[in-house]
Amino acid sequence: MTFELKISREQGESLAQAATHKILGFKLVSETRRGPITSPEFHEAMKGAPILRRIDDSTFWLRHHSGIPWLSVQHDQSGAGSIVLSLSYLHYRFPEVALDAFDVGLSLAESLDADLREDIGDRKITRANIDSLLDVNGPYVAHLVKVWEVSRQNTDKDGGAPLEIPIGPVEGVSDYFLFHIVPSRTVELSSLQQSLNWRIVKDSAMVSNGRVVAFMLADPNGHPTTKVFQRPDGIFQVHPYYWQLPFSLSAPATLRAVEALAAIVGGAVKFNGVEFSKALAGEIHSRSQGLGVEFYQWWHSRS
């Protein structure tokens, strides 16, 4: 499930000839509705948009004004030619960036002389009602935050991982940056807390039957980056903490943690069930500094 805003001319009504707001660089394509939104209209309107990637002729990924990956914008070139803006409910800054998506959607809709509708209540969004709908203390925003919290909790519980930009309707997948370290000797996780040259997140230790079985590591600024868990069989399981930093920061930090742990406990390391060879390590070092969604696509394209 993704959060979506839809732009279309399906209503067939003409907007009042008022001054068009030109926000975020979207260009006015036409002043009256003339059937479905065409591909040339879509591409003309996208000129000046904060484009992160052009995936194909009908799909663009946008960058948020803060610089982080953000929205998928997809044009359906058949039928009504509608445009869908998709945002992952699992985006680590969802409550903030979801509200900003409305400004982009409304600006793009105005430039195309089309309607913008949100998918929860199928409401038409206008300059007249956007502020009341997006009141941070109102029921609509409270609902978005609740869905975000539940989605995040369920993803953690199911051992999944988020994609910062959806692939179609897919926003969460099985964890794709998962390491296992089989130590060469018996090592208690508690003893490693003092050995690691990383910050241990305060109060993050999980204790079971009197022994530490998990804790989290943080970057120098105190942001959690990595979860370390020791299974009952002694194997260490290590993966990013996806909910406070972008993949391009949490994944490299996790990789450094794995290498530090492996240097201490010895033994074999596997990445997503595959031997963590020197060649594979080099590729992962390079690709982990980009988008999580692209890393996920690369990894699954190998199989």
Side-chain angles (χ1 to χ4, degrees):
M1 178 180 67
T2 59
F3 173 74
E4 294 183 349
L5 297 172
K6 183 179 179 182
I7 297 169
S8 74
R9 296 176 181 151
E10 290 179 323
Q11 297 285 324
E13 301 171 357
S14 181
L15 290 176
Q17 297 301 309
T20 300
H21 300 269
K22 297 175 72 175
I23 298 177
L24 296 177
F26 291 114
K27 300 176 66 177
L28 178 63
V29 173
S30 64
E31 294 187 355
T32 58
R33 292 192 179 103
R34 295 173 182 155
I37 298 170
T38 66
S39 182
E41 285 181 306
F42 171 65
H43 289 123
E44 183 68 16
M46 290 299 293
K47 289 181 178 179
I51 296 171
L52 177 66
R53 300 279 193 278
R54 178 171 176 163
I55 304 304
D56 53 40
D57 194 49
S58 61
T59 305
F60 294 81
W61 291 350
L62 300 189
R63 178 188 294 107
H64 188 258
H65 60 73
S66 64
I68 62 176
W70 184 25
L71 283 172
S72 172
V73 181
Q74 187 164 23
H75 178 225
D76 180 1
Q77 298 183 8
S78 63
S82 59
I83 298 169
V84 176
L85 281 66
S86 301
L87 172 64
S88 172
Y89 273 112
L90 300 177
H91 195 290
Y92 74 104
R93 286 171 56 182
F94 176 82
E96 172 190 347
V97 299
L99 302 190
D100 291 339
F102 281 85
D103 286 331
V104 171
L106 191 53
S107 179
L108 181 55
E110 287 175 337
S111 77
L112 290 162
D113 198 14
D115 284 334
L116 174 70
R117 307 190 79 87
E118 55 83 30
D119 69 338
I120 296 175
D122 192 31
R123 279 164 285 206
K124 179 180 175 180
I125 309 301
T126 66
R127 294 288 168 193
N129 68 11
I130 188 171
D131 288 340
S132 60
L133 179 68
L134 301 185
D135 180 352
V136 294
N137 297 312
Y140 187 81
V141 173
H143 175 76
L144 292 182
V145 172
K146 182 63 176 178
V147 174
W148 171 62
E149 291 174 340
V150 171
S151 299
R152 187 174 63 171
Q153 291 167 3
N154 288 341
T155 299
D156 269 344
K157 182 178 66 176
D158 296 338
L163 302 177
E164 64 267 75
I165 295 180
I167 304 175
V170 178
E171 63 179 359
V173 294
S174 57
D175 203 332
Y176 54 91
F177 206 82
L178 180 64
F179 290 88
H180 288 97
I181 305 172
V182 183
S184 58
R185 57 189 175 83
T186 302
V187 180
E188 291 290 332
L189 189 58
S190 57
S191 68
L192 295 177
Q193 295 185 66
Q194 302 303 319
S195 302
L196 287 174
N197 188 25
W198 263 268
R199 295 169 60 98
I200 305 298
V201 176
K202 185 179 180 181
D203 299 325
S204 68
M206 180 187 300
V207 179
S208 177
N209 296 323
R211 57 185 288 267
V212 175
V213 296
F215 60 73
M216 292 177 60
L217 300 172
D219 68 7
N221 296 316
H223 299 124
T225 62
T226 306
K227 298 177 75 172
V228 181
F229 172 73
Q230 188 173 30
R231 303 187 331 193
D233 59 7
I235 294 175
F236 297 100
Q237 182 171 301
V238 187
H239 61 98
Y241 181 72
Y242 294 101
W243 309 113
Q244 282 203 15
L245 293 172
F247 177 84
S248 59
L249 294 179
S250 61
T254 296
L255 186 53
R256 292 192 296 271
V258 167
E259 291 172 338
L261 279 166
I264 295 170
V265 304
V269 179
K270 288 191 174 183
F271 176 74
N272 292 339
V274 177
E275 180 187 356
F276 189 56
S277 64
K278 186 175 181 179
L280 179 58
E283 273 205 278
I284 292 175
H285 267 285
S286 175
R287 294 179 180 274
S288 65
Q289 299 175 50
L291 298 178
V293 61
E294 291 181 327
F295 188 97
Y296 169 79
Q297 291 175 318
W298 163 73
W299 180 256
H300 282 272
S301 71
R302 299 171 79 256
S303 57

